[in-house]
Amino acid sequence: MENLKNVAPVEDFNWDAYENGETFGGASHEELEKAYDSTLNKVNDREVVDGTVIAMNKREVVVNIGYKSDGIIPLNEFRYNPDLKIGDTVEVYIENQEDKKGQLVLSHRKARATRSWDRVNAALENEEIIKGYIKCRTKGGMIVDVFGIEAFLPGSQIDVKPIRDYDVFVGKTMEFKVVKINQEFKNVVVSHKALIEAELEQQKKEIITKANHIIAISEHTKKDIIETLGISPQKIDVIYHGCSLQSTISKPNLHLPQRYILFVGDRTSYKNFQRLAEAFSIIHQTDAHLHLICAGKPFSKAESELISRIGIAPHTLQISVNDQHLKELYNRALLFVYPSYYEGFGIPILEAYTCNCPVALSQASCFPEIAENAAAYFDPFSVSSMAEAIKSVIYDEAERTRLILAGKERIKLYSWEKATRQTELVYRKVAKAVF
């Protein structure tokens, strides 16, 4: 207080100029405001800019964009990013530079939505790993927040193993890959399974690369290993599989249609089941009594819809089988069809040979190596080629008999006893080199 008593007023202070809005140096308030504004970032409403998180609590995040005031954003707009912290750079959408209270109004959610489609497309093109927040369950899978877009995560793409309880994933932030985008309807499909498969594939590559020696199940597989991983051919031996299915069957136990072609095994995309179904529909148009039997797991919803759509549902059967049933299916079939794009070996070919069933195969992968002339072949990418190959066997008894006899000879080249002996020799060779 003593100091205040000693303060003397400025004798030449112009109070009249001050009251009229003038300041020291002759500058007006407007000029000072203009000078101050020049130090700030230039922003526009409905623009997306980068900002810095300068404060946050359990409900709100304060973001500085270099403007004269900071923006406050609800924390739930960042729920996809539980690691958000002070100092992070975030994208914000300027809704209003000044509301009625003079407050800068920002939205992180709208910023993500504005740029989301470019990001999603870039993630698909570059095979980028992205983070997403699992919001809820939906029919057939989950809804995932990715860059502010609601993407679909199919149940089959959550993990490499089947998931029974989807609810345990709700509320979790996980990594995904974008696997499909429908630009017309703005639909995005993501997969977590693809990341796991990629990791397993990388582990497989590391194991193969570090191995002292490698056993491949076909020359085609050996070629793939050499070309993909750069492994020396001298480090790889080819040992073919055998067949465990026995040819003898008891009296018929299954109630089966008199005439059918047979498909055996899984029906994932590379198995090419859809084209087989379409090829069968072509043949069925002129052969109403012919059936298609699929030995394996029940049809999925998509498969059932396909079968109904192309008009073959009453003549397409799915059967879950044991070995005894499988032998009977092979033995009574007009033809076994194997339409895969790729296989490492193809044990069902040997099973068909063992059970006196002729085979029609894709002209692809290891099939010509395993079957040689003991099969009819088709282009796996051509429905008409597949249909013609099937007809060339089921409507030509001489050709069907030829394939059965050729299969009987071909099966003599493959046995587990032979594979065991060859494997033992490889082990001894490697042990001798190592020790």
Side-chain angles (χ1 to χ4, degrees), residues 95-386:
E95 296 194 70
N96 196 337
Q97 295 180 52
E98 288 188 7
D99 63 8
K100 293 179 180 180
K101 298 180 180 179
Q103 177 67 50
L104 173 67
V105 182
L106 303 177
S107 170
H108 180 61
R109 179 181 59 80
K110 289 185 178 180
R112 295 178 73 214
T114 300
R115 293 184 175 176
S116 58
W117 281 104
D118 288 341
R119 286 182 169 184
V120 165
N121 281 281
L124 176 63
E125 182 178 350
N126 301 324
E127 298 186 352
E128 179 186 350
I129 298 174
I130 60 176
K131 283 187 176 182
Y133 174 81
I134 301 179
K135 296 175 65 175
C136 61
R137 286 189 59 169
T138 190
K139 187 175 182 180
M142 318 286 289
I143 297 297
V144 181
D145 182 322
V146 176
F147 302 138
I149 293 175
E150 288 192 346
F152 178 56
L153 171 64
S156 62
Q157 294 300 312
I158 299 174
D159 205 335
V160 292
K161 57 186 179 181
I163 300 297
R164 297 184 181 277
D165 184 8
Y166 292 177
D167 289 333
V168 298
F169 294 94
V170 175
K172 288 188 176 182
T173 298
M174 298 173 62
E175 292 184 331
F176 301 96
K177 286 186 74 173
V178 179
V179 294
K180 186 177 181 182
I181 296 176
N182 185 315
Q183 300 291 351
E184 181 180 358
F185 297 103
K186 300 295 185 183
N187 293 332
V188 179
V189 180
V190 296
S191 171
H192 181 68
K193 176 182 176 181
L195 300 179
I196 301 174
E197 290 176 334
E199 184 178 347
L200 293 175
E201 190 65 26
Q202 183 59 38
Q203 292 175 0
K204 187 192 299 183
K205 289 180 180 179
E206 291 179 7
I207 291 170
I208 293 173
T209 303
K210 294 177 181 178
N212 294 100
H213 207 80
I214 299 164
I215 295 175
I217 56 177
S218 66
E219 291 290 346
H220 189 274
T221 300
K222 176 179 178 178
K223 179 173 176 288
D224 285 346
I225 294 172
I226 294 169
E227 293 179 352
T228 304
L229 301 177
I231 304 295
S232 169
Q234 286 71 39
K235 194 178 177 180
I236 308 172
D237 278 306
V238 174
I239 299 178
Y240 291 127
H241 284 324
C243 178
S244 302
L245 207 62
Q246 301 299 314
S247 59
T248 56
I249 61 170
S250 58
K251 64 181 181 178
N253 291 313
L254 298 174
H255 181 67
L256 301 173
Q258 186 174 357
R259 299 174 63 253
Y260 64 88
I261 61 175
L262 178 65
F263 176 92
V264 174
D266 199 3
R267 296 182 298 275
T268 48
S269 58
Y270 78 94
K271 296 289 187 177
N272 202 20
F273 173 72
Q274 178 172 335
R275 283 196 175 90
L276 173 58
E278 292 171 352
F280 174 73
S281 71
I282 293 173
I283 302 170
H284 186 259
Q285 290 173 11
T286 56
D287 192 344
H289 298 291
L290 185 67
H291 286 70
L292 170 62
I293 293 182
C294 300
K297 63 183 181 182
F299 292 129
S300 67
K301 180 182 178 182
E303 289 169 341
S304 296
E305 290 174 350
L306 166 69
I307 291 166
S308 296
R309 187 173 68 251
I310 61 180
I312 60 172
H315 292 81
T316 304
L317 309 176
Q318 176 275 325
I319 302 178
S320 300
V321 297
N322 55 33
D323 281 356
Q324 189 64 32
H325 293 157
L326 189 58
K327 287 188 288 185
E328 185 176 345
L329 284 171
Y330 279 124
N331 191 263
R332 295 171 60 181
L334 290 174
L335 178 69
F336 163 63
V337 186
Y338 210 173
S340 298
Y341 302 125
Y342 185 93
E343 296 288 346
F345 182 81
I347 287 180
I349 299 171
L350 306 190
E351 292 175 341
Y353 288 163
T354 299
C355 298
N356 299 322
C357 180
V359 301
L361 307 173
S362 295
Q363 184 75 45
S365 187
C366 66
F367 290 159
E369 173 191 346
I370 303 303
E372 288 195 353
N373 69 336
Y377 291 99
F378 52 81
D379 178 356
F381 296 97
S382 170
V383 172
S384 61
S385 174
M386 197 181 302

